[in-house]
Amino acid sequence: MSAPLRHDWQNHEIEALFALPFNDLLFQAQSLHRQYFDPNAVQVSTLLSIKTGACPEDCKYCSQSGHYNTELKKEKLLEVEKVLQEAQRAKDSGASRFCMGAAWKHPSQKDFPAVLAMVKGVRALGLETCMTLGQLSREQTEALAAAGLDYYNHNIDTSREYYAKIITTRNFDERLDTLDHVRTAGIKVCSGGIVGMGESQNDRVGFLRELANLPQHPESVPINHLVKIKGTPLQDVADLDPFDFVRIVAVARILMPKSHVRLSAGREQMNDQMQALCFFAGANSIFYGDKLLTTSNPLANDDMALFKRLGIHPESRTVHEEDFRRQISSHDVAAYYDATAAH
Ligand code: SAM
Ligand code: DTB
Ligand code: SF4
């Protein structure tokens, strides 16, 4: 029997997890991981920036904010046809989900029909769909759900307290409102954040507590390691201790044992050993493909080579827990018959 999911985590309990010796924390995370997931399967999603740069928001980490001079090449909304070509390429190289991101505060009425056409088109290719477009009204969320959107990514990014120091053009509660619209419309929730932005240990505790105490855990929890962007206020922030990053992954896994925890931005700066530790700590999803939104990602071939060295296989489509248990038990039954037939 798996432990029941909790939504009432207290700060002191999360602090106690962070205070565990590294090996004890990883053992606990890995043990829990195995109760809910195939420990050798990792979900792979490919990202595409469908509208790049000139964003009105002032997120201090972001290459796409119009408030900073980051030397980014801006691009208006891509044609639907171009997006579908990229989605087909992602599918051909082994991705099971296609995530489309736009540098908007919120989608405009003018752009919305094209966005809906992208969802329908990508879905028709047999891929899971994910979008991240900023704030959504209830009506827009319902229209996306009706078009067949599987996931919406909307990060809380950090603790409520630190949020106001990183972004001033919107607030934390507006983020929660959009997440509530997404959940109510029946779209799966992808929500996580960024670490390595100079946040305190209390901020990391608060960030993970907010996610874990949502009425329902997000199905997908991206943990981004800050990619330092020249021209942004965070360009020279101090480096995070790599073991602290692994601890954050492990604590996310323990608090939200049934969620996919995604090792997101920042993998290019990690070596293979560090990524292997993150998978051991419970990360079971990655962005796959040579580019994230505007920054680079490990080459797809290198990721497949790493999977092979670690005995990891890409998860085909989101396998529901019960389906996985059924696979396990039929496998166990077959193994039992093989063993008994031998006697
Ligand atoms: N504009 C939409 C929004 O902010 O909701 C969607 C796109 S935004 C780029 C998606 C997420 O990417 C952010 O919430 C943040 O967590 C992550 N991100 C952006 N820039 C990053 C960076 N330089 N390093 C790490 N993560 C980053
Ligand atoms: C998420 O949490 N990480 C992705 C996705 N959601 C949209 C974005 C990472 C962006 C990294 C910086 C860039 O490439 O611009
Ligand atoms: Fe805009 Fe999203 Fe970047 Fe913030 S994170 S500046 S909202 S693209």
Side-chain angles (χ1 to χ4, degrees):
M1 263 274 289
S2 313
L5 301 182
R6 286 184 52 191
H7 302 268
D8 59 353
W9 288 94
Q10 305 292 310
N11 280 353
H12 70 88
E13 296 175 289
I14 303 176
E15 284 157 12
L17 289 172
F18 273 114
L20 284 172
F22 189 75
N23 284 342
D24 290 346
L25 176 62
L26 261 64
F27 179 73
Q28 198 173 314
Q30 174 66 203
S31 307
L32 210 44
H33 187 58
R34 283 165 183 267
Q35 288 183 26
Y36 290 93
F37 289 103
D38 173 349
N40 303 307
V42 169
Q43 191 276 327
V44 295
S45 296
T46 292
L47 258 178
L48 176 70
S49 180
I50 58 170
K51 186 266 168 182
T52 308
C55 184
E57 306 278 34
D58 69 351
C59 313
K60 286 191 172 53
Y61 47 78
C62 188
S63 64
Q64 305 201 67
S65 168
H67 295 254
Y68 318 117
N69 182 8
T70 61
E71 294 162 12
L72 179 77
K73 192 169 163 282
K74 305 173 189 63
E75 265 185 75
K76 59 178 189 353
L77 184 63
L78 297 180
E79 299 287 336
V80 177
E81 211 36 54
K82 166 83 178 149
V83 173
L84 299 187
Q85 279 166 14
E86 292 294 330
Q88 183 63 53
R89 258 172 26 110
K91 187 181 179 196
D92 294 344
S93 55
S96 60
R97 190 178 309 158
F98 194 63
C99 305
M100 295 157 269
W104 288 326
K105 185 177 184 65
H106 48 69
S108 69
Q109 284 311 97
K110 173 173 119 343
D111 290 327
F112 212 61
V115 164
L116 296 178
M118 290 172 194
V119 174
K120 289 182 189 152
V122 173
R123 212 153 189 263
L125 295 175
L127 284 159
E128 290 182 322
T129 51
C130 175
M131 287 214 148
T132 179
L133 314 168
Q135 191 175 28
L136 294 180
S137 67
R138 243 182 224 292
E139 295 69 33
Q140 287 175 325
T141 319
E142 278 159 15
L144 285 166
L149 184 68
D150 296 295
Y151 289 82
Y152 195 75
N153 167 242
H154 201 63
N155 291 341
I156 63 163
D157 275 336
T158 185
S159 68
R160 176 180 283 275
E161 295 72 27
Y162 202 54
Y163 197 83
K165 299 208 167 70
I166 296 294
I167 301 151
T168 68
T169 49
R170 60 173 184 244
N171 66 47
F172 200 78
D173 284 324
E174 289 170 327
R175 288 309 257 190
L176 298 182
D177 287 345
T178 294
L179 288 177
D180 181 53
H181 296 338
V182 171
R183 187 53 90 200
T184 309
I187 300 171
K188 295 190 196 79
V189 171
C190 172
S191 188
I194 317 184
V195 292
M197 297 194 293
E199 71 283 347
S200 66
Q201 183 60 15
N202 284 346
D203 291 317
R204 289 177 200 150
V205 169
F207 157 57
L208 293 175
R209 192 203 61 235
E210 290 278 355
L211 288 174
N213 289 351
L214 286 171
Q216 229 179 301
H217 295 163
E219 279 79 3
S220 169
V221 179
I223 305 290
N224 295 279
H225 189 302
L226 177 73
V227 179
K228 295 181 200 175
I229 310 279
K230 201 163 153 269
T232 62
L234 295 184
Q235 65 173 12
D236 294 321
V237 74
D239 283 336
L240 191 62
D241 177 338
F243 294 125
D244 284 343
F245 184 84
V246 181
R247 283 189 173 92
I248 293 161
V249 170
V251 173
R253 165 53 61 228
I254 293 168
L255 302 188
M256 294 166 280
K258 217 175 157 179
S259 305
H260 279 77
V261 174
R262 181 175 297 145
L263 185 53
S264 305
R267 277 199 309 118
E268 209 185 23
Q269 288 72 35
M270 297 175 194
N271 63 21
D272 288 351
Q273 299 87 314
M274 169 75 175
Q275 292 187 61
L277 261 185
C278 290
F279 293 136
F280 188 76
N284 61 346
S285 173
I286 58 166
F287 283 121
Y288 171 71
D290 309 349
K291 206 168 169 203
L292 291 164
L293 290 174
T294 67
T295 64
S296 54
N297 198 39
L299 299 178
N301 284 345
D302 292 350
D303 279 340
M304 280 305 145
L306 177 61
F307 276 17
K308 195 154 180 245
R309 284 168 73 206
L310 298 176
I312 286 175
H313 55 270
E315 191 183 276
S316 45
R317 290 268 297 218
T318 302
V319 182
H320 199 259
E321 186 207 342
E322 279 73 21
D323 296 340
F324 173 57
R325 296 211 170 283
R326 231 172 281 133
Q327 282 170 23
I328 292 277
S329 46
S330 55
H331 176 267
D332 288 349
V333 169
Y336 172 78
Y337 280 117
D338 286 346
T340 46
H343 288 101

